[in-house]
Amino acid sequence: MPEIVELPDRPYVGVRGTVTMSTIPAIADRIGEIVGWLAGRGLAPAGAPFLRYESFEPDGDGMVLQAGVPVAEPVDVEGDYFAGVLPAGRYATATHRGPFDGLAGATGALLAWGAEQGVTWDVTERDGAEHWGCRLELYNTDPRTEPDPAGWLTDLQIRLA
């Protein structure tokens, strides 16, 4: 059952790119790279890695997406990595159990629940595109240690206005 929770600022290291639904792995697959980069500097993740959906283009064919790994404190970065902060605020959250191909439906259910509750999302429209303040999928299960997709847990978090 979805709920609304208050979350603090959360620093992270991330990468960003413009992708389509079929090219999401070009960004998503870099999560392991970021974890390795952090480990090489003696830093451990401070939470579940995530994808952050920044914007969706009008034709639905392109989106700006981030892959990120939370850190305890902000860190200096290099290359195409950047240091970011997931903003504090009130978030609608729900947990999806199962394979990643069910996430679109789970997100749709969370958005529908929010509409029923009268929630106002932190989203704006510019040039026909949706720009989200903070819309996340947090991957709590490592598929390398849990090979059965039926056991994967993914938290959905969408910031309220």
Side-chain angles (χ1 to χ4, degrees), residues 16-120:
R16 172 185 291 113
T18 301
V19 298
T20 64
M21 289 301 288
S22 64
T23 62
I24 287 174
I27 295 297
D29 290 350
R30 296 195 62 196
I31 288 173
E33 175 189 319
I34 298 168
V35 171
W37 184 85
L38 290 169
R41 285 149 183 77
L43 301 170
F50 60 85
L51 290 181
R52 181 176 182 179
Y53 294 82
E54 281 187 44
S55 66
F56 296 90
E57 294 180 6
D59 58 11
D61 198 28
M63 64 186 86
V64 177
L65 187 64
Q66 297 178 19
V69 178
V71 291
E73 300 289 329
V75 299
D76 292 328
V77 295
E78 56 197 36
D80 66 342
Y81 295 152
F82 67 90
V85 175
L86 300 175
R90 294 176 57 224
Y91 286 76
T93 185
T95 300
H96 168 71
R97 175 183 292 275
F100 297 147
D101 63 6
L103 288 169
T107 299
L110 179 58
L111 291 168
W113 174 85
E116 291 170 4
Q117 302 300 310
V119 165
T120 302

